[in-house]
């Protein structure tokens, strides 16, 4: 795989764009000497930044897709938006990957319609790395496909396995179907049919997993439909925020608690970093022709930095090509 990587970045993606995006891109360029970024956005934003940073190329765009717009309609209508242009650069071969913290729906639509699906892939799936305190795990799908057929989950399992192998270094990832019980007869008719197919067609399938298995990292890859996966992911994110906020309140509640917090500061900081989604930068859309990472709307500069770096690493590891090989062989 090539050492050098060219990543298109949406300068307008995220709640705090473009400042946070520019800061994150600058950090990514400083961290990776073999990285080139094509920055997509308004001329007055991208041109001065590119002039001041080596290995950054400006790609002026005249349109933007907002969070509130209908994703597919906006992608079809706004051909010169930063999201569509970024995906088009990948399709044309000018870039190898695309990162955006903008509208998730628009990113998914543009990646699927413009970059295109890998041959043999029925539905691209949005995956995410769950930053468990035990060890990171992959969940797929987390929002691209709210309505699924059981056979889609077989492909999600295979794509998620490739991502876990190449990006997390897990040689033989154990795959599980997210369900309401361990027994194979548990769950809806859809879940039972998916279980049967996965048992037959996914070599590393280890059975059903329950919600409590995710943060416990009982398995390496958790497979589900996009509706269930998105609810699960946001529940984990929300719970994490509430727990840390509550813990901070308790530790600031009295002098003795503050002294205890001071003694635990290093360990708590390490834990917070370990379970932070910013560490992984965003969610990869698996099954499209090229690397595509979708960041959270509230992404910090650190999250943007890591999202761009993860995009470059995905290119170097050949994840998209391996997924295409896996899909075509099935």
């Amino acid at each position: 795989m090539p050492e050098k990587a060219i990543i298109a970045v949406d300068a307008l993606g995220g709640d705090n764009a473009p400042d946070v995006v520019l800061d994150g891109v600058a950090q990514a360029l400083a961290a990776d000497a073999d990285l080139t970024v094509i920055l997509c956005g308004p001329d007055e934003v991208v041109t001065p930044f590119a002039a001041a940073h080596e290995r950054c190329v400006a790609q002026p765009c005249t349109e933007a897709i907002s969070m509130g717009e209908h994703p597919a309609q906006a992608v079809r209508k706004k051909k010169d938006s930063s999201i569509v242009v970024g995906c088009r650069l990948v399709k044309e071969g000018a870039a190898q990957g695309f990162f955006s913290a903008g509208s998730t729906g628009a990113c998914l639509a543009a990646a699927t319609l413009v970059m295109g699906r890998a041959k043999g892939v029925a539905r691209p799936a949005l995956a995410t790395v769950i930053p468990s305190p035990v060890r990171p795990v992959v969940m797929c799908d987390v929002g691209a496909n709210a309505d699924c057929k059981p056979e889609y989950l077989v492909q999600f399992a295979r794509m998620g396995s490739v991502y876990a192998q190449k990006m997390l270094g897990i040689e033989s990832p154990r795959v599980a179907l997210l369900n309401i019980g361990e027994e194979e007869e548990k769950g809806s008719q859809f879940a039972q049919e998916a279980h049967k197919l996965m048992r037959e067609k996914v070599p590393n399938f280890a059975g059903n997993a329950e919600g409590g298995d995710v943060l416990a990292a009982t398995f390496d890859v958790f497979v589900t439909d996009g509706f269930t996966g998105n609810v699960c992911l946001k529940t984990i994110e929300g719970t994490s925020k509430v727990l840390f906020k509550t813990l901070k309140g308790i530790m600031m509640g009295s002098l003795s608690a503050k002294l205890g917090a001071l003694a635990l500061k290093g360990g708590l900081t390490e834990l917070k970093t370990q379970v932070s989604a910013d560490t992984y930068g965003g969610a990869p859309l698996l099954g499209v022709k090229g690397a595509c990472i979708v960041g959270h709307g509230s992404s910090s500069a650190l999250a943007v930095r890591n999202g761009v770096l993860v995009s470059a690493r995905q290119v170097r590891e050949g994840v998209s090509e391996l997924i295409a090989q896996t899909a075509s062989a099935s």
Side-chain angles (χ1 to χ4, degrees):
M1 289 299 112
E3 287 300 315
K4 295 187 180 297
I6 304 173
I7 305 300
V9 176
D10 173 17
L12 297 180
D15 301 337
N16 301 304
D19 293 346
V20 165
V21 177
L22 299 183
D23 190 3
V25 168
Q27 292 181 35
L29 289 168
D32 188 341
D34 291 317
L35 170 68
T36 295
V37 168
I38 303 178
L39 195 59
C40 307
D43 182 62
E44 65 272 18
V45 172
V46 301
T47 299
F49 182 88
H53 293 81
E54 294 184 0
R55 293 176 285 110
C56 184
V57 179
Q59 178 62 60
C61 303
T62 59
E63 296 177 304
I65 296 177
S66 67
M67 292 290 189
E69 294 185 75
H70 186 282
Q73 291 178 5
V75 165
R76 291 190 176 96
K77 181 179 179 181
K78 295 185 173 181
K79 303 293 186 183
D80 201 41
S81 63
S82 52
I83 290 176
V84 174
V85 169
C87 289
R88 189 164 64 241
L89 290 171
V90 179
K91 178 184 179 180
E92 294 172 350
Q96 299 154 299
F98 173 65
F99 171 81
S100 175
S103 164
T104 298
C107 289
L108 300 185
T112 303
L113 296 173
V114 180
M115 290 170 60
R117 290 178 293 169
K119 185 178 180 180
V121 172
R123 293 288 188 278
L126 194 64
T128 191
V129 176
I130 304 287
S132 161
V134 180
R135 55 188 169 80
V137 299
V138 174
M139 183 177 288
C140 183
D141 183 16
V142 294
N145 304 278
D147 298 304
C148 288
K149 296 179 180 179
E151 53 265 33
Y152 295 170
L153 270 62
V154 172
Q155 284 200 334
F156 297 171
R158 291 172 175 164
M159 294 192 294
S161 294
V162 170
Y163 197 82
Q165 288 172 334
K166 305 304 292 185
M167 301 300 288
L168 298 183
I170 304 171
E171 186 175 348
S172 299
R174 299 178 71 235
V175 177
L177 173 66
L178 193 61
N179 207 333
I180 60 171
E182 295 180 358
E183 300 82 4
E184 61 181 84
E185 67 273 9
K186 286 292 183 71
S188 62
Q189 186 65 36
F190 167 78
Q192 293 177 38
E193 291 178 11
H195 185 285
K196 181 176 182 295
L197 283 176
M198 291 174 70
R199 188 179 64 229
E200 294 172 353
K201 299 184 177 183
V202 180
N204 47 342
F205 182 58
N208 284 335
E210 298 183 83
D213 291 315
V214 179
L215 287 182
T218 308
F219 303 94
D220 302 305
V221 178
F222 293 84
V223 179
T224 185
D225 62 274
F227 181 90
T228 304
N230 191 267
V231 171
C232 181
L233 174 63
K234 290 181 178 176
T235 299
I236 291 172
E237 291 176 340
T239 301
S240 177
K241 289 179 182 178
V242 170
L243 285 177
F244 274 106
K245 184 177 180 180
T246 303
L247 186 60
K248 183 178 180 181
I250 292 172
M251 290 186 164
M252 294 296 104
S254 66
L255 179 58
S256 59
K258 289 179 182 179
L259 291 173
L262 186 61
L264 293 171
K265 183 178 180 180
L268 290 173
T269 300
E270 182 180 349
L271 176 61
K272 189 172 182 180
T273 301
Q274 186 179 354
V275 301
S276 173
D278 286 0
T279 302
Y280 300 96
L285 181 64
L286 305 179
V288 292
K289 296 177 181 178
C292 179
I293 302 288
V294 183
H296 201 285
S298 60
S299 290
S300 63
L302 175 63
V304 173
R305 169 194 182 274
N306 290 337
V308 175
L309 293 178
V310 167
S311 302
R313 186 177 167 216
Q314 187 174 332
V315 167
R316 292 175 178 132
E317 294 288 347
V319 171
S320 299
E321 292 80 3
L322 287 172
I323 285 175
Q325 291 173 18
T326 301
S328 61
S330 60

